Amino acid sequence: MPRWWKRIGCGFQLLLILSLLLGAYTAWWWIDSARTCETQNEYNLRGICLMRIQERAEQGDNAAQWTYGSYLETERRETEARAWQLQAMHGAQVGLALRGEMLSFCDRMPGFEARTVEGIMLRVARNSPDAHLRLLQLYIYPQCGAFDLDKASAQIPLLTQCAPLTLRDYLESAESAHRRVLPATREAIRANVKICEKELAGQTPPDTTVQEIIPVRRDHLDNLARRLAALEP
């Protein structure tokens, strides 16, 4: 057999080995992406999990639309990302569909103007009482034109979940604006603390309702108690 033929044969074998290794790696990558779906988020979506999220988003799944939009944003595909995020916002039907992006984008991104964001939250809150937490957060968010301490105060008696961090931010906003916190509002805050006490005792809320990002801790409630005490005449 000629030497050049042997070289071709060796080259072909090497190419075959590389192809097999690449195929094995690709298969492993797809299997691993499927196996780790539960731990993936918008920052590391890949493989079959990404395909599933995209498919669910296209089928109208609200949570998938938010996730897919956030993924596209990490890929610097901002125009596509914003389209999915706007679709998710306008399609919201329950409190959980009112994502934190609605606050951070408020008056910063086209389509997320304060009046639009507030209108959608008010619509959802009519049938999803847990959405009043999102409204309270919107009304005390200083970077958004919806900022309104009077409207914020009106949301506090309507809270259905423990919200010590948001209530702390409300009191800080009122203090910064030199606004008096009315006795009725202080009483509503105390009523919310009672909800928090039950949660600390083990009565965890259902995962179908809007919750603060950090679970309640004793120091959260102690902080609220001190602030309320300072407001007493």
Side-chain angles (χ1 to χ4, degrees):
M1 182 180 295
R3 183 176 299 178
W4 62 269
W5 180 256
K6 289 182 179 180
R7 289 178 179 173
I8 292 176
C10 291
F12 177 76
Q13 291 175 7
L14 179 60
L15 181 61
L16 179 61
I17 291 172
L18 290 174
S19 298
L20 290 173
L21 289 174
L22 180 60
Y25 173 79
T26 302
W28 171 85
W29 187 83
W30 279 98
I31 293 170
D32 184 67
S33 73
R35 182 179 58 82
T36 59
C37 272
E38 294 300 321
T39 61
Q40 291 183 37
N41 54 38
E42 60 268 29
Y43 302 106
N44 60 4
L45 269 176
R46 63 187 188 281
I48 195 167
C49 300
L50 175 58
M51 293 173 62
R52 288 173 181 170
I53 288 292
Q54 182 178 357
E55 182 179 11
R56 284 167 47 200
E58 291 169 347
Q59 292 172 349
D61 184 291
N62 188 274
Q65 289 173 345
W66 279 116
T67 300
Y68 189 54
S70 297
Y71 161 78
L72 292 172
E73 198 164 22
T74 65
E75 295 291 304
R76 300 187 182 278
R77 295 160 63 180
E78 285 84 1
T79 301
E80 295 174 79
R82 214 65 68 225
W84 282 109
Q85 290 159 340
L86 281 169
Q87 185 174 338
M89 179 178 71
H90 283 281
Q93 299 297 325
V94 296
L96 280 179
L98 304 175
R99 300 284 286 269
E101 288 90 335
M102 294 175 65
L103 298 178
S104 58
F105 291 168
C106 182
D107 283 340
R108 289 183 53 246
M109 302 293 181
F112 288 89
E113 291 76 22
R115 182 177 297 180
T116 300
V117 173
E118 180 184 16
I120 290 171
M121 288 187 177
L122 286 169
R123 170 179 61 77
V124 173
R126 285 197 292 267
N127 298 311
S128 189
D130 60 317
H132 288 288
L133 176 61
R134 287 287 183 248
L135 277 164
L136 174 56
Q137 291 169 341
L138 177 72
Y139 292 141
I140 61 174
Y141 188 64
Q143 284 75 38
C144 177
F147 181 88
D148 189 312
L149 289 177
D150 289 331
K151 289 183 178 181
S153 301
Q155 296 302 312
I156 295 175
L158 303 176
L159 293 174
T160 62
Q161 65 278 79
C162 173
L165 301 180
T166 305
L167 291 171
R168 177 204 63 192
D169 292 343
Y170 163 80
L171 292 175
E172 288 179 352
S173 296
E175 182 180 2
S176 297
H178 304 290
R179 294 286 297 274
R180 178 169 175 260
V181 180
L182 298 175
T185 303
R186 299 201 298 270
E187 189 59 35
I189 294 174
R190 292 191 184 94
N192 191 265
V193 170
K194 292 180 181 178
I195 297 176
C196 297
E197 292 285 359
K198 292 179 180 179
E199 190 170 321
L200 275 177
Q203 298 182 24
T204 56
D207 57 8
T208 55
T209 62
V210 178
Q211 301 296 326
E212 291 190 328
I213 192 168
I214 301 175
V216 62
R217 302 196 310 255
R218 171 55 57 189
D219 60 298
H220 296 162
L221 304 187
D222 292 343
N223 179 282
L224 269 182
R226 287 193 296 271
R227 290 179 179 276
L228 287 172
L231 296 174
E232 295 298 332

